[in-house]
Amino acid sequence: MMSEKRVTFATKLGVIATAVGSAVGLGNIWRFPYETGQHGGAAFLLIYIGCILLLGIPVVLAEFIIGRGSHSNVSGAFRKLSPGTGWHYISYLGITAAVLIMSFYSVIAGWTMEYTYQALIDSFGSHTPEEFQQDFTAFTSSPLRPIFWTFLFLGINYVIINRGVQNGIEKYSNVMMPLLFLLLLVFCVRSITLPGAGAGLSYLFDPDFSKIDSSVVLGAMGQAFFSLSLGMGTLITYSSYFSSRTKLVRSATTIAAFDTLVAVLAGIIIFPAVFTFGISPSQGPELVFITLPHVFQQMPGAYIWSVLFFILLFLASLTSTISMCEISVAFFTEERKMSRKKASLLHISACAVLGVLCSLSFGVLSEATLFGRTVFGWCDFLSSNILLPLGGMLISIYVGWVLDKKVIRKEMTNNGELRTRLARILVFVLRYIAPTAIILIFLGGLGVF
Ligand code: TRP
């Protein structure tokens, strides 16, 4: 088991689908709309796309170069590529972020399971907006029920992660992602023919630049890193399983394009409905859960649509959390020689403890705040807006300044097979542009200037 040969992904579709499976999840469908709503709409979207292009894609490539260049877990990768240096400490940052993110993520994934259940027993019926809101609050603030779902979700992760890379992840990513995408397209059509669609679409696409301040920019950068699963080594770990023929640039741009498309589709579904049903766009984490059931109500065959949607959203969360587990599991099995079972148990237990606190943040612990944030709020803010960009900055400095240029050229050209000048441009961006931009956004967002 411990000395097992590293597997690689079986098919080309497998590579993209698995990375997309990691990228596409609650970040696109739950977090993106609510962050957009809290940060004023179109202006946020514009900066978000800027962050994807300028920071996201280059840092994805940097992670790919490290991962495939070393065929190793995060810590092993840095040890192999730069022996005797302290760069491998980045892996601790990654594991911390993975546990923090997975803790609050599992709570929301638990909500999607509750909603799947509610959809199955057909309880949405003819609810009014107020009733959806009341039901939501009653559910999320109750002490036990959401925790039950969180634990169930973590348990499912445990089972899957124990079955290994190939079987566990690859197979069903290939089917689910396209299905989720199709479903979103159908909902889009319904949403943009609602009476409030005009207002919703202009909220999403017609920027009001006066809304931009440094917290909007920090939020957009955090969301970009979160949505691409960037900055904590997920993509280092995943790309360590890439074959030598995988085209890195094409994979990175495909993943980023697809990920952004899904987020924008989610926005196109949510905001017209928000304006049609008189929901406030700045609701926060509940936005998707109180908005979407309305959209389904307006469709013939509402039952089927809502069941299908919540099942797929749950599965999309699962492919994302599995990628978070894989960071710790690869680290503990390869660096600490633990069994896969023990490693996943360790990761998941930590998430369970923190997950309980996150879940209670919507109920009995909602008053337990520090600087206005609950435990849930802190896990989210700290990981998305601080740790991920920080990790991304270190990774870009590493590839831009430290890593042997030969490795970069080798990985970018697939060992000389592809002809590309992009390696030079990439190094320039990673050296100068990405780290500077991340620092400036940090300092701005934390109120330094
Ligand atoms: N990108 C995923 C989403 O949008 C979440 C995710 C999975 C993630 N793995 C990650 C975020 C690693 C940051 C780092 O839902």
Side-chain angles (χ1 to χ4, degrees):
M1 179 76 206
M2 278 174 233
S3 60
E4 105 194 303
K5 225 177 118 218
R6 282 181 86 78
V7 286
T8 56
F9 287 118
T11 60
K12 196 160 131 199
L13 182 63
V15 172
I16 301 283
T18 312
V20 169
S22 163
V24 174
L26 294 171
N28 308 61
I29 293 165
W30 161 74
R31 198 174 188 277
F32 172 80
Y34 104 68
E35 284 282 314
T36 306
Q38 290 200 318
H39 288 122
F44 178 87
L45 174 61
L46 208 62
I47 299 175
Y48 173 73
I49 291 178
C51 288
I52 294 276
L53 294 175
L54 191 71
L55 305 173
I57 294 176
V59 181
V60 169
L61 279 169
E63 289 208 20
F64 281 178
I65 290 170
I66 298 172
R68 196 179 59 177
S70 64
H71 288 296
S72 187
N73 68 79
V74 183
S75 166
F78 287 105
R79 281 184 216 267
K80 222 181 239 181
L81 297 171
S82 297
T85 64
W87 285 98
H88 66 271
Y89 286 115
I90 288 185
S91 58
Y92 294 105
L93 197 74
I95 292 172
T96 312
V99 171
L100 284 179
I101 291 180
M102 187 143 164
S103 305
F104 74 84
Y105 204 93
S106 300
V107 173
I108 310 297
W111 295 0
T112 71
M113 293 170 86
E114 163 79 11
Y115 271 64
T116 307
Y117 170 71
Q118 294 296 342
L120 277 170
I121 61 169
D122 203 8
S123 80
F124 292 137
S126 50
H127 274 31
T128 61
E130 293 73 38
E131 284 167 335
F132 277 128
Q133 173 84 55
Q134 280 160 11
D135 283 0
F136 174 87
T137 312
F139 162 63
T140 54
S141 62
S142 70
L144 290 180
R145 206 175 162 94
I147 292 179
F148 163 75
W149 290 116
T150 306
F151 280 8
L152 185 60
F153 181 76
L154 288 169
I156 296 172
N157 274 274
Y158 175 72
V159 172
I160 293 178
I161 206 74
N162 265 319
R163 295 175 50 194
V165 180
Q166 295 251 20
N167 302 334
I169 313 167
E170 189 173 345
K171 268 187 210 148
Y172 78 122
S173 279
N174 290 348
V175 186
M176 277 173 33
M177 284 296 136
L179 203 59
L180 177 65
F181 189 69
L182 274 181
L183 214 62
L184 289 176
L185 281 180
V186 174
F187 298 156
C188 256
V189 174
R190 172 65 270 201
S191 221
I192 55 180
T193 49
L194 287 171
L201 293 176
S202 77
Y203 182 80
L204 185 62
F205 292 118
D206 188 10
D208 171 358
F209 291 103
S210 67
K211 296 242 169 82
I212 298 180
D213 61 23
S214 46
S215 83
V216 173
V217 184
L218 180 65
M221 175 170 75
Q223 175 61 23
F225 276 85
F226 187 89
S227 195
L228 289 174
S229 308
L230 208 54
M232 66 190 211
T234 306
L235 298 179
I236 296 183
T237 308
Y238 265 25
S239 58
S240 73
Y241 304 113
F242 282 3
S243 86
S244 59
R245 295 221 299 281
T246 306
K247 293 182 178 136
L248 298 190
V249 176
R250 189 186 292 175
S251 304
T253 45
T254 310
I255 294 161
F258 201 76
D259 185 64
T260 308
L261 190 63
V262 174
V264 171
L265 279 182
I268 296 177
I269 298 169
I270 302 280
F271 289 107
V274 161
F275 284 87
T276 305
F277 301 112
I279 295 162
S280 154
S282 59
Q283 280 281 350
E286 64 254 56
L287 187 65
V288 173
F289 290 90
I290 58 175
T291 307
L292 280 182
H294 281 295
V295 179
F296 303 146
Q297 250 180 20
Q298 306 292 317
M299 297 172 69
Y303 179 78
I304 294 294
W305 293 121
S306 47
V307 170
L308 259 180
F309 174 77
F310 284 112
I311 289 181
L312 284 174
L313 185 56
F314 155 72
L315 291 173
S317 331
L318 196 56
T319 48
S320 298
T321 46
I322 284 168
S323 77
M324 299 175 203
C325 296
E326 195 60 45
I327 298 185
S328 318
V329 172
F331 174 82
F332 286 117
T333 51
E334 290 173 17
E335 298 299 313
R336 297 281 183 272
K337 307 295 176 219
M338 270 184 203
S339 69
R340 217 178 152 79
K341 230 186 192 138
K342 220 175 185 178
S344 43
L345 196 61
L346 191 65
H347 176 94
I348 284 175
S349 313
C351 296
V353 174
L354 212 52
V356 168
L357 298 178
C358 286
S359 183
L360 295 176
S361 296
F362 294 91
V364 291
L365 292 183
S366 64
E367 303 295 320
T369 57
L370 189 66
F371 299 110
R373 286 181 215 280
T374 58
V375 178
F376 181 97
W378 273 109
C379 283
D380 186 359
F381 178 81
L382 206 67
S383 53
S384 313
N385 289 3
I386 309 290
L387 295 182
L388 298 180
L390 187 66
M393 185 175 84
L394 293 174
I395 287 167
S396 79
I397 291 175
Y398 174 76
V399 174
W401 294 91
V402 181
L403 184 62
D404 189 348
K405 296 290 165 294
K406 272 192 245 143
V407 178
I408 301 179
R409 219 169 302 124
K410 175 167 174 255
E411 294 304 327
M412 290 288 283
T413 62
N414 285 0
N415 224 350
E417 262 177 36
L418 308 172
R419 306 185 49 189
T420 170
R421 281 201 216 93
L422 290 174
R424 279 241 176 89
I425 302 175
L426 179 70
V427 170
F428 180 80
V429 173
L430 293 176
R431 269 197 170 193
Y432 303 105
I433 299 185
T436 321
I438 294 173
I439 293 227
L440 289 178
I441 296 173
F442 257 148
L443 297 180
L446 300 177
V448 179
F449 52 75

